[in-house]
Amino acid sequence: MDTTIEDRPTGGPQDAPSAYHPTVEPHLSALLPVGVFLVLFIGSGVVLQDFYSIPAIVAFICALAVAFLQNPKRPFDDKLESVARSMGDSNVMIMCLVFVLAGAFTGAVTSAGGVDSTVNFALSILPTGIVLPGLFLIACFISISMGTSVGTIAALAPIAIGVAEKTDLLGALCLGAIVGGAMFGDNLSIISDTTIAATRTQGCDMSDKFKENFKVALPAAVITFIVFLAMGLGSDYAIEGPLDYNLWQVLPYVAVLVAAIAGVNVFLVLIGGTVLSVIVGVALGTIAPDMIFIAIGTGLEGNSGVMNMYDITVISIICAGIIGLVRDNGGIEWILQKISSMVRGRRGAQFGIAVLSSLVDVSTANNTVAIVVAGPIVKQIATEYNISPRRAASLVDIFTSVWQGIIPYGAQILYASAGAAAVGMAVSPFEIIPFLFYPYLLAACAIVYIVISKEKK
């Protein structure tokens, strides 16, 4: 059966206690599949010292099997129907289609030479007198263009270590600058898988979510820039070697960003960006005409992150099925009941969304998976407390990004540490954590924004 939420009375939602009345009896035991996933994922990471030793999809399939075993009195075919209906939800399917199109765009623009040109162009305009804040700004620009924090860190980590070796700056400090900048773009980019997941699970336009997010991210970025500027005074470094770039190869990124902010439908944006990337690649000779479809396919099969777009799409579908059974068994109702009993009004509900998103990301060590898992619950909290979809999407994306940019076992910090090791400098993930100013400031700005902002119902 589908779980619905009764309408809240329109009077006094800010100050009145929750008027939540579940239509399914809440049960803590219904959350067992989620617990199984966390035990498998975290347990394998602790035991094997590698939080990516077990593919996330395997852990999710085990969780789905446990969900099927629960509530044995219910017919299996009925459970299967519930899972299929939840998997086939229009928001889930649209989200998966956007993932596929984003992967196609990434594959096309990468094959066209867009990544190398974007990185080299950013490095070529790096002011030598402000090298540390310059690294932060370049990471911001590249990540918001490419839509991947891990890809940005992988590209810039060796450069950050080169800066540290030729200046009096700490390697961990330089890595902290690029990790912070990478999380800025990952949180805002419209081709980021986290943005796609957040907007689709909450049902809002990407342009609206971008504008809501920008109110929080911009102050955090400006303060971070000032902090790095003060810490890097007197450090001078010039990038050596050829920095060849072609602005035509950067154009698809710019076009996609501008069109998305302007409110163009995301499908048209990504299809147009892919076509433009192919045209640029063929015109410049970086994509052979007979390799066009192969170039597009590489974005689905081998993204620069820990998981590619194909993995994320399948995980999203499996997770939707698990959430369907958890909801039918009363698990989501139990969470909503507990949150409703602890918070007062919309401001408290927003803090509840922040805490929920943070806990799921710390547990999964992947902000996209965290958003997919927490998204349906966040959606119901937002509906219960009259929080707009764009604000709910912004909050879930912000707080998963905050923790993803801090936890030492997340892909971002691990890639930064590995990038340093690749060029001969040992920097542990724990050494980088004190210099992750942007994630800390992003969390602080988000908390202040929740406290002082007044959103129309």
Side-chain angles (χ1 to χ4, degrees):
M1 72 186 81
D2 283 332
T3 300
T4 58
I5 303 297
E6 293 187 4
D7 293 335
R8 164 186 288 279
T10 56
Q14 279 103 338
D15 300 318
S18 170
Y20 170 69
H21 302 289
T23 58
V24 174
E25 185 178 353
H27 287 292
L28 173 61
S29 60
L31 296 173
L32 180 61
V34 179
V36 168
F37 166 75
L38 296 179
V39 168
L40 286 174
F41 195 81
I42 298 176
S44 64
V46 172
V47 173
L48 302 176
Q49 299 296 307
D50 180 4
F51 279 82
Y52 299 95
S53 56
I54 292 183
I57 184 62
V58 175
F60 272 116
I61 289 175
C62 293
L64 180 61
V66 171
F68 270 115
L69 292 174
Q70 287 187 298
N71 196 4
K73 294 182 179 180
R74 185 182 180 189
F76 181 83
D77 288 343
D78 191 17
K79 296 179 184 178
L80 190 60
E81 177 66 24
S82 179
V83 168
R85 184 170 59 250
S86 186
M87 287 179 170
D89 179 81
S90 60
N91 277 323
V92 175
M93 288 296 99
I94 291 173
M95 177 173 64
C96 291
L97 286 173
V98 175
F99 280 144
V100 170
L101 291 177
F105 170 72
T106 299
V109 74
T110 300
S111 298
V115 173
D116 292 336
S117 277
T118 301
V119 172
N120 288 343
F121 171 71
L123 292 173
S124 68
I125 60 176
L126 174 66
T128 58
I130 55 169
V131 60
L132 189 57
L135 284 174
F136 173 71
L137 287 180
I138 287 173
C140 289
F141 172 73
I142 293 174
S143 61
I144 202 170
S145 301
M146 294 169 53
T148 164
S149 54
V150 172
T152 300
I153 293 167
L156 293 182
I159 296 170
I161 295 303
V163 169
E165 290 177 339
K166 297 188 178 181
T167 63
D168 57 351
L169 298 172
L170 293 173
L173 175 60
C174 294
L175 291 174
I178 65 167
V179 170
M183 297 314 300
F184 172 87
D186 185 88
N187 181 222
L188 286 174
S189 175
I190 67 99
I191 59 172
S192 167
D193 44 13
T194 58
T195 295
I196 296 168
T199 54
R200 293 317 312 174
T201 57
Q202 303 310 308
C204 71
D205 292 333
M206 288 190 176
S207 58
D208 289 338
K209 183 261 186 186
F210 178 90
K211 294 170 185 175
E212 189 78 15
N213 243 28
F214 199 67
K215 300 174 186 177
V216 180
L218 181 60
V222 170
I223 298 172
T224 302
F225 179 85
I226 294 172
V227 171
F228 281 131
L229 181 63
M231 297 184 71
L233 288 176
S235 300
D236 195 7
Y237 175 78
I239 302 295
E240 297 179 354
L243 293 173
D244 299 327
Y245 64 87
N246 188 317
L247 290 179
W248 286 108
Q249 294 171 319
V250 182
L251 178 61
Y253 283 128
V254 178
V256 164
L257 179 61
V258 171
I261 296 175
V264 179
N265 182 279
V266 64
F267 283 90
L268 298 178
V269 169
L270 293 174
I271 291 172
T274 302
V275 172
L276 180 58
S277 299
V278 169
I279 292 173
V280 169
V282 172
L284 297 178
T286 54
I287 300 178
D290 60 340
M291 297 293 288
I292 290 176
F293 295 109
I294 293 177
I296 293 173
T298 58
L300 293 171
E301 299 171 356
N303 200 11
S304 56
V306 174
M307 293 190 297
N308 57 49
M309 285 297 186
Y310 175 80
D311 295 331
I312 293 171
T313 300
V314 175
I315 284 174
S316 299
I317 295 173
I318 297 295
C319 185
I322 295 171
I323 292 297
L325 287 179
V326 169
R327 182 191 299 113
D328 288 354
N329 292 333
I332 291 180
E333 306 307 328
W334 185 87
I335 294 175
L336 293 175
Q337 185 184 71
K338 292 301 179 182
I339 292 177
S340 297
S341 66
M342 292 186 292
V343 304
R344 288 292 183 272
R346 296 163 71 220
R347 184 174 290 118
Q350 291 176 68
F351 279 115
I353 291 173
V355 172
L356 175 64
S357 304
S358 300
L359 290 176
V360 177
D361 185 77
V362 169
S363 300
T364 60
N366 185 296
N367 46 344
T368 305
V369 172
I371 292 171
V372 170
V373 171
I377 304 173
V378 169
K379 176 67 173 176
Q380 293 200 38
I381 295 173
T383 301
E384 168 71 5
Y385 286 92
N386 297 316
I387 299 169
S388 70
R390 64 182 182 183
R391 178 162 294 190
S394 176
L395 290 174
V396 71
D397 199 349
I398 284 175
F399 282 97
T400 53
S401 292
V402 164
W403 287 100
Q404 192 62 32
I406 295 174
I407 52 176
Y409 51 88
Q412 286 74 8
I413 307 298
L414 293 177
Y415 264 68
S417 178
V423 292
M425 180 179 287
V427 180
S428 77
F430 293 97
E431 292 179 83
I432 304 172
I433 290 176
F435 302 111
L436 299 171
F437 302 121
Y438 177 74
Y440 302 141
L441 288 167
L442 180 62
C445 288
I447 291 171
V448 171
Y449 186 64
I450 292 173
V451 171
I452 67 174
S453 65
K454 293 182 179 180
E455 185 189 31
K456 293 182 180 180
K457 299 177 190 177

